[in-house]
Amino acid sequence: MAKKPTQDFETTLKELEAIVTHLEAGDLPLEDALNEFEAAIKLVQQGQERLQKAEQRIQILLNKNESAELSDYTKE
């Protein structure tokens, strides 16, 4: 089976949000709800993978600039 091309993080998140909304409505037959849940799990895994790759890229960039400090994000 051919692997689906990876989509960007934002698209993955939008699809995941749509599935959650659909599931929360509670009007799906059990089999359809399970299929939606399975699709959501795959999207979560894709999203986590994308975030890990982004974090690795940030670490690489920070390692190139040793004077750059890595600190926790704080919302003002």
Side-chain angles (χ1 to χ4, degrees), residues 7-75:
Q7 56 193 10
D8 65 21
F9 181 77
E10 291 76 13
T11 303
T12 300
L13 190 58
K14 285 178 185 177
E15 285 184 25
L16 185 57
E17 289 171 344
I19 290 172
V20 168
T21 301
H22 203 204
L23 287 172
E24 285 178 338
D27 57 357
L28 290 175
L30 179 60
E31 192 61 36
D32 292 344
L34 287 172
N35 289 335
E36 290 285 302
F37 182 76
E38 184 178 4
I41 294 296
K42 289 177 183 176
L43 289 170
V44 167
Q45 290 170 340
Q46 286 176 6
Q48 287 176 332
E49 194 175 300
R50 296 289 295 201
L51 288 174
Q52 287 173 339
K53 286 180 182 179
E55 184 177 7
Q56 288 173 347
R57 287 177 64 193
I58 290 169
Q59 288 295 337
I60 289 168
L61 292 170
L62 288 176
N63 286 336
K64 287 182 179 179
N65 182 2
E66 293 179 13
S67 64
E69 262 187 58
L70 182 61
S71 60
D72 291 333
Y73 173 76
T74 54
K75 203 173 192 180

